[in-house]
Each structure stands twice: as structure tokens, then as C-alpha cells.
Amino acid sequence: ETGVTQSPTHLIKTRGQQVTLRCSSQSGHNTVSWYQQALGQGPQFIFQYYREEENGRGNFPPRFSGLQFPNYSSELNVNALELDDSALYLCASSPDRVGYGYTFGSGTRLTVV
Amino acid sequence: AQTVTQSQPEMSVQEAETVTLSCTYDTSENNYYLFWYKQPPSRQMILVIRQEAYKQQNATENRFSVNFQKAAKSFSLKISDSQLGDTAMYFCAFMKPILSKLTFGTGTRLQVTL
């Protein structure tokens, strides 16, 4: 059992649309991070939430936003989709703020056409 | 900014043999963590092994071990007795404890053959 569940597994959107990706973490995992993995690349850090507040952000524009909820679920929202947003989006959660014990989900494959 | 370099895009090893994957990183920090993650076709990133920079002893997890050379900023992964299930993409990653942000390399595709 992975402990981190992401939905949907695959998604196709049209350029300019908006998308919401969801992640459900294990109980007690107060830290959640989102990563973008383009084809053939390593994951890139988008942002991190700790106890429902954003506490770190990578080099991504404001149209990438997120939310973390008290029930250990979280969302990644992307507005005004661009073709380059096509990627695998990974959610990772940890029981501690340091992130020493991250557990990753299997990701959502987003295709923008 | 930290960077992680994996210079071997692809590697192949026969079952039961030993293989070493290379990773170098660049940082001015003294305290940090290093990780090796495995990503099979299922896409989930699975932690293989981790190392705290302040620990001189190399980490070991069953068939997986690392050679951590702090001065050289090198962090290689050795897989002993390779198994078909080890076939996957392997990513080296760096993390500063306070930010909890993982910086990944570009990965090494490992193929284990019969």
C-alpha cells in the first residue's frame, strides 16, 4: 500500500483550460509537496504545504496554486494551461516538516493539447 | 542553488551481477540529505536509500549501498546481486533539511537482463 493516492491517473486538457489534481496522504502526514516531471527528466519542485500553509515554492508561475486540507488531502490547480504543462505530476507527503521520509504517489499524467 | 548530475543516462547489468550508478552534486551547504529513488514503470517514486551528510558511515539497505564522498560531492549507488525487479529509472536527489525540497538529477535508466 503506497499511502499516497493521486487522482485522476490520466487527464487530457485543452490549452487555456484549468485543471485540478488531487492527492490523498496518509493520516498524520502534515507535509505535502508537489513535483512536475516532464518526459525524460527528473521531478521539479513546485511547492510545499505544511499544516495547510504554503511554506516553500519552486520556480513556477502563480497560475500554479495549491491547497492542503485538514483531512490530509491536497490539490494542485493549474490555470491557463500551456502545452509545456504536459507532464507527470507527483504528490509526496511526509509525517515531519523536514521531509526526511517522503512517500510518493503514482502521479497524474496530464496531457495538454 | 543546488544541482545534481547523473552522467549515465542508461546502464545495463546482468542478473546477479553488481552495478554502480554515479551521482555528483554541487552545494555550499554543510548539512544536507542525499537520496536514491527508484521509479519503475508504475511511475511511483520509491525510496531506495538515504544518507545524512554529517554521517561518515556509508548507508546500506540490503543489496543497496552508497559510496558517499563529501569532499568530492559524490554519491554513488551500488546494487549487488541485481534482480530483474531492479529494472527502473534511478534518480539521485539532494535536500536541505529546512526547506524540505528535493532536487533531482536527470536519472539513469537501469536494465537488468538475464
Side-chain angles (χ1 to χ4, degrees), chain B residues 5-69:
Chain B
T5 302
Q6 294 179 250
S7 59
Q8 306 153 314
E10 294 187 8
M11 292 195 73
S12 182
V13 63
Q14 287 191 318
E15 199 177 19
E17 297 296 308
T18 296
V19 64
T20 299
L21 308 184
S22 301
C23 173
T24 58
Y25 58 95
D26 186 23
T27 184
S28 58
E29 302 289 329
N30 189 50
N31 184 28
Y32 49 87
Y33 301 127
L34 294 165
F35 304 82
W36 278 98
Y37 281 91
K38 167 186 176 180
Q39 188 177 40
S42 65
R43 308 182 318 198
Q44 185 192 6
M45 203 70 75
I46 301 167
L47 177 65
V48 174
I49 199 165
R50 60 190 167 203
Q51 173 85 41
E52 294 100 322
Y54 62 86
K55 289 186 177 180
Q56 293 188 346
Q57 186 173 4
N58 290 325
T60 299
E61 287 287 343
N62 301 314
R63 298 183 295 109
F64 300 89
S65 61
V66 298
N67 183 6
F68 173 48
Q69 301 289 329

Side-chain angles (χ1 to χ4, degrees), chain A residues 8-34:
Chain A
T9 55
H10 296 84
L11 196 56
I12 299 175
K13 288 288 195 178
T14 303
R15 188 172 50 182
Q17 285 188 315
Q18 178 267 342
V19 68
T20 297
L21 310 182
R22 293 180 171 82
C23 174
S24 178
S25 305
Q26 287 178 257
S27 177
H29 279 210
N30 295 308
T31 299
V32 64
S33 296
W34 286 88

Side-chain angles (χ1 to χ4, degrees), chain B residues 13-20 38 61-65 77-87 90 110-113:
Chain B
V13 63
Q14 287 191 318
E15 199 177 19
E17 297 296 308
T18 296
V19 64
T20 299
K38 167 186 176 180
E61 287 287 343
N62 301 314
R63 298 183 295 109
F64 300 89
S65 61
L77 173 69
K78 185 172 82 171
I79 306 174
S80 303
D81 186 25
S82 296
Q83 301 175 359
L84 295 177
D86 295 334
T87 294
Y90 286 81
L110 177 66
Q111 181 72 46
V112 180
T113 60

Side-chain angles (χ1 to χ4, degrees), chain A residues 17-96:
Chain A
Q17 285 188 315
Q18 178 267 342
V19 68
T20 297
L21 310 182
R22 293 180 171 82
C23 174
S24 178
S25 305
Q26 287 178 257
S27 177
H29 279 210
N30 295 308
T31 299
V32 64
S33 296
W34 286 88
Y35 290 81
Q36 180 195 66
Q37 186 178 14
L39 199 61
Q41 300 295 316
Q44 298 289 318
F45 175 74
I46 302 175
F47 47 57
Q48 177 180 286
Y49 280 78
Y50 176 72
R51 293 185 184 270
E52 301 163 48
E53 290 191 6
E54 184 181 302
N55 75 334
R57 189 177 185 92
N59 189 27
F60 281 81
R63 58 189 186 84
F64 285 78
S65 63
L67 286 172
Q68 184 184 25
F69 302 101
N71 65 350
Y72 305 107
S73 66
S74 60
E75 291 180 352
L76 165 64
N77 299 289
V78 187
N79 294 322
L81 284 166
E82 300 177 359
L83 298 180
D84 285 348
D85 295 334
S86 295
L88 178 68
Y89 288 86
L90 295 167
C91 169
S93 69
S94 173
D96 56 83

